[in-house]
Amino acid sequence: GYDTGDALLREIADRLRRVGGALIARTGADEFAIALRLPDPTAARSIVEKMHEALEAPYTLTVAMLNVRFAVGYTIGAKRHPAVRLLREGTVALHEAKRSGRRVTEYDQATHIKLRMRGRLTSELHRAIANEDLRLHFQPKVEFATGRLVGAEGFIHWPHPTIGERSLQSLAYET
């Protein structure tokens, strides 16, 4: 219930503070943002790993013992970087950690670009479906020994205006 959830959130915040979170903010139902000063940017990964280990330990609350799994996304910024930018980058890294199944993921711009492209392609695909722009292609299945036609496989192709005609299967694999 709500009381257990609130107790869990308090325990999460306490663990993060003990590991060294200078500023901890709850940014969503199950998301936190943590800001801290690093003596050296190379220390970030080990600090984040320690936070993850602290969070993954079982939680003993008054009503239950819980095992909770966490994904962590983080970014490294300089003092001159706006907080909004750092929050956005950390969120991108978090979503990539969740998507990939990795427990800790550092932000990188290439992943951010791929995610934006994937989102754009998804929107464009919805439009293509609504406009009936997809094409069905059949590929015959032939028995090698006799040369006899034994069936066919169907492939859906999308004639995309900028990336060219692609099968949905290959596009899904690439993105």
Side-chain angles (χ1 to χ4, degrees):
Y2 289 109
D3 292 340
T4 303
D6 288 344
L8 177 61
L9 290 172
R10 281 192 298 278
E11 179 62 27
I12 289 169
D14 287 344
R15 288 183 186 192
L16 290 173
R17 264 192 296 275
R18 284 193 300 268
V19 175
L23 173 65
I24 301 167
R26 184 173 170 204
T27 59
D30 62 351
E31 294 180 0
F32 289 85
I34 303 161
L36 42 101
R37 292 193 194 284
L38 298 173
D40 171 2
T42 60
R45 182 74 183 200
S46 68
I47 292 170
V48 171
E49 290 280 354
K50 286 177 189 169
M51 286 182 176
H52 188 270
E53 288 171 20
L55 292 172
E56 288 268 316
Y59 292 83
T60 305
L61 306 174
T62 55
V63 293
M65 182 172 165
L66 302 172
N67 288 304
V68 183
R69 300 194 45 82
F70 290 87
V72 177
Y74 72 99
T75 189
I76 300 170
K79 287 181 183 180
R80 69 183 183 283
H81 292 153
V84 172
R85 172 185 164 185
L86 297 174
L87 190 56
R88 185 180 331 113
E89 291 175 359
T91 300
V92 167
L94 173 62
H95 290 286
E96 179 59 16
K98 289 178 178 180
R99 187 196 69 75
S100 68
R102 291 187 304 237
R103 24 183 234 120
V104 175
T105 301
E106 181 178 356
Y107 171 83
D108 80 54
Q109 191 170 12
T111 299
H112 193 178
I113 291 168
K114 278 182 13 187
L115 289 173
R116 283 198 337 240
M117 187 171 118
R118 185 180 302 136
R120 191 186 79 224
L121 282 175
T122 300
S123 296
E124 291 173 356
L125 179 58
H126 284 285
R127 234 182 345 269
I129 292 168
N131 295 337
E132 298 181 359
D133 290 337
L134 303 180
R135 298 180 184 154
L136 178 60
H137 293 266
F138 289 100
Q139 179 174 320
K141 292 177 84 177
V142 178
E143 188 174 83
F144 184 73
T146 64
R148 188 173 64 90
L149 180 66
V150 294
E153 291 181 319
F155 295 94
I156 297 175
H157 284 246
W158 177 19
H160 191 276
T162 58
I163 63 172
E165 184 159 324
R166 307 291 289 278
S167 77
L168 289 188
Q169 181 179 5
S170 71
L171 197 58
Y173 179 77
E174 292 171 21
T175 59

